[in-house]
Amino acid sequence: MTAAAPPDRHVDELRILEAEAVHIIREVVAELERPVLLFSAGKDSIVLLRLAEKAFRPAPMPFPVLHVDTGHNFDEVVEFRDRRVSGAGHQLIVASVQDSIDAGRVTEVGGPSGSRNRLQTRTLLDALESGRFDAAFGGARRDEERARAKERVLSFRDEFGQWDPRAQRPEPWALYNGRIRRGEQVRVFPLSNWTEVDVWRYIALEGLELPSIYFAHRREVFERDGILLATSRFTAPRDGETARVETVRYRTVGDLTITGAVRSDAADIDAVISEISAATVSERGETRADDRTSVAAMEDRKREGYF
């Protein structure tokens, strides 16, 4: 999707954010032994991947890409993931929740409210341990959600992958201490200071490709608890819910059983930027059912080892 170039003042702001992110990525690679980049094929991880590529050009990116696959992904997103990562020559590691279920590492909860989203944590921790990764780059931003706002740029996890917000290190003057003990991990968030609008403006500036579901399209959906879910082989209307074809798009990418669409006619990047500039709710707050279970839902999952 083509878009008009952002105004000069926005370009200057984006280049400052870009330089900060590139600096963070390089610092982590210099201090830690085995980093990996978490990639969902969502807009934030697409921007993160571009920044990581820029950080080391013309040399190849010195770490692999890891996707935690619930098995309930949008087909368009999986197709894009494979094409984007393999097309750039990066190593792609797919950690499968289904494999975790088959191995007895996690137990799937069936029924109408069942979701594999919480099962991702065990799969992620196992993948990090198996690969001996001590740092994992993620695309989370502080403006997404309350628990995200508590994160430092370098988020330290104990030997069990767990997060304690009271045990995080200060980062005065953008100085980062990446020293850890054997067995500990660091989650690294180079996009911490970005907003959703910043991400979209950078996508426009760099001409980045996105999965098609980010733009308005016709899709059969049904409403559940105020969220528009797509009908699929994993999701179907219950009694009292009616499926209908609507014009929608997605603000965030995730497990399709809990990720909702928004009604929208925004078919290009400029229209999307205009739309989200007027939004009063973050993308996760509007479209992710897993974040609505309680006020502390995300923080609880992060304490267990979630992204």
Side-chain angles (χ1 to χ4, degrees), residues 64-85:
V65 173
L66 171 63
H67 179 218
V68 178
D69 183 356
T70 67
H72 293 167
N73 297 299
F74 292 92
D75 292 339
E76 300 96 324
V77 174
V78 173
E79 183 277 330
F80 177 88
R81 177 201 70 188
D82 294 341
R83 180 162 48 82
R84 174 65 177 89
V85 177

Side-chain angles (χ1 to χ4, degrees), residues 33-39 49 52 61-67 85 89-94 131 133 135-137:
E33 294 182 4
R34 288 184 61 81
V36 67
L37 187 144
L38 304 179
F39 188 74
L49 181 58
M61 198 171 70
F63 41 78
V65 173
L66 171 63
H67 179 218
V85 177
H90 304 313
Q91 178 189 358
L92 174 64
I93 301 168
V94 178
F133 299 118
F137 295 104

Side-chain angles (χ1 to χ4, degrees), residues 64-307:
V65 173
L66 171 63
H67 179 218
V68 178
D69 183 356
T70 67
H72 293 167
N73 297 299
F74 292 92
D75 292 339
E76 300 96 324
V77 174
V78 173
E79 183 277 330
F80 177 88
R81 177 201 70 188
D82 294 341
R83 180 162 48 82
R84 174 65 177 89
V85 177
S86 63
H90 304 313
Q91 178 189 358
L92 174 64
I93 301 168
V94 178
S96 168
V97 171
Q98 184 62 57
D99 288 348
S100 297
I101 295 170
D102 294 343
R105 297 289 289 164
V106 294
T107 301
E108 184 169 21
V109 178
S113 61
S115 168
R116 290 184 171 185
N117 197 54
R118 291 191 76 102
L119 306 186
Q120 293 181 86
T121 299
R122 182 73 267 156
T123 304
L124 170 64
L125 293 176
D126 286 349
L128 294 176
E129 182 178 2
S130 175
R132 295 182 291 109
F133 299 118
D134 54 6
F137 295 104
R141 311 182 322 269
R142 291 193 180 109
D143 74 329
E144 287 182 86
E145 195 273 339
R146 293 179 184 180
R148 301 285 200 204
K150 294 183 180 181
E151 287 279 19
R152 301 286 198 270
V153 173
L154 268 61
S155 177
F156 291 88
R157 310 297 175 102
D158 63 20
E159 63 270 25
F160 303 106
Q162 297 174 332
W163 176 67
D164 181 352
R166 297 168 299 181
Q168 301 304 304
R169 301 173 186 177
E171 297 175 340
W173 306 292
L175 296 175
Y176 306 109
N177 177 3
R179 294 182 181 178
I180 59 174
R181 292 187 289 269
R182 185 170 299 278
E184 294 178 335
Q185 307 166 5
V186 184
R187 308 290 169 80
V188 186
F189 303 113
L191 304 185
S192 288
N193 295 326
W194 296 51
T195 66
E196 186 181 6
V197 174
D198 291 331
V199 167
W200 277 97
R201 285 178 176 153
Y202 190 78
I203 288 166
L205 180 63
E206 293 288 305
L208 301 181
E209 183 186 359
L210 297 176
S212 59
I213 67 172
Y214 274 111
F215 302 98
H217 60 285
R218 301 285 285 172
R219 186 180 290 265
E220 186 174 80
V221 296
F222 60 93
E223 188 165 344
R224 177 175 297 163
D225 299 327
I227 294 179
L228 289 179
L229 296 176
T231 58
S232 72
R233 60 190 182 277
F234 309 115
T235 51
R238 302 173 189 164
D239 291 342
E241 298 172 343
T242 303
R244 57 190 177 276
V245 176
E246 296 200 39
T247 301
V248 300
R249 73 175 192 87
Y250 287 83
R251 289 181 68 184
T252 182
V253 161
D255 187 310
L256 63 79
T257 66
I258 55 166
T259 302
V262 294
R263 295 180 177 92
S264 173
D265 294 316
D268 57 38
I269 294 177
D270 290 334
V272 170
I273 290 173
S274 296
E275 185 177 270
I276 61 176
S277 294
T280 58
V281 181
S282 74
E283 63 265 47
R284 291 193 69 97
E286 183 176 18
T287 64
R288 293 295 290 270
D290 52 328
D291 290 341
R292 296 186 175 190
T293 55
S294 74
V295 173
M298 172 64 80
E299 183 163 334
D300 290 343
R301 293 200 306 279
K302 288 173 67 63
R303 288 178 183 272
E304 296 169 358
Y306 189 71
F307 310 123

